[in-house]
Amino acid sequence: MGVVRMSGGDGDRDRAQLVLLAAAVAAAALVPMALAYLTLGAHPDVAASAEHDTPGEDTLRALDRASTNASAAVGRHSWSERIRAVVAFDAAVASDIRGIETARLSETVAVEVTRNGTAARAWATANCPDGPNRAFGACDVVDGVVVQERAGEVTLLAIAFDVRVTEPEGTTRLTVVTRIN
């Protein structure tokens, strides 16, 4: 019996098509893995121990994020328009606060968020410098939001919240001042 060799014929072409098909199957298998990696991967806003955080800790983290995001939507206002700046801030943060208050209702956790003007004034007194050598202008508190005059314009500095978290284990009350800038 003789040996039959195939070179340059249909065998090489079939082998190349098989290799190409195997590469396509491998690539198709990698797509779901890449999507899972991207959607389930770590992100700076996601705590590694989120399942162990209390609803109060989750709420405070969400309020901090919502306040920072809303401040970016305020735009520029002159110092005489500081109330208008706070109204713009309120409009930007309102839907986030409603979402925070209702986010865990399915887990029988109720959250109530209100402003605390007294805590905001205390923060402003402790953190806004006074005297002849200060770098910025006066601070004011408008509806629990600390604003400061800088170069004739309004700068949002902080917001004070009272947070009440009610869950099956009990009720927690927190007062927090979140720095905006």
Side-chain angles (χ1 to χ4, degrees), residues 18-121:
L18 184 61
V19 169
L20 186 61
L21 178 64
V25 169
L30 291 176
V31 170
M33 286 178 27
L35 286 174
Y37 174 78
L38 291 174
T39 58
L40 299 176
H43 188 275
D45 282 347
V46 179
S49 61
E51 71 239 5
H52 301 295
D53 287 347
T54 66
E57 291 169 332
D58 287 344
T59 300
L60 296 181
R61 196 170 28 256
L63 284 171
D64 183 47
R65 206 169 29 248
S67 299
T68 300
N69 291 343
S71 71
V74 171
R76 296 173 68 166
H77 295 273
S78 69
W79 180 243
S80 62
E81 296 177 320
R82 58 189 171 275
I83 293 174
R84 186 181 298 179
V86 172
V87 168
F89 174 78
D90 289 342
V93 79
S95 65
D96 286 341
I97 289 179
R98 280 192 302 277
I100 291 167
E101 289 178 324
T102 59
R104 296 182 82 171
L105 287 176
S106 64
E107 301 170 33
T108 65
V109 175
V111 175
E112 180 184 6
V113 178
T114 56
R115 302 275 180 86
N116 185 322
T118 304
R121 277 187 285 287

Side-chain angles (χ1 to χ4, degrees), residues 6-12:
M6 300 175 80
S7 64
D10 287 336
D12 287 341

Side-chain angles (χ1 to χ4, degrees), residues 79 82 128-129 134 136-140 147-150 157:
W79 180 243
R82 58 189 171 275
C128 288
R134 67 179 180 204
F136 302 116
C139 282
D140 195 7
V147 294
Q148 186 174 40
E149 184 268 321
R150 294 185 179 179
L157 296 182

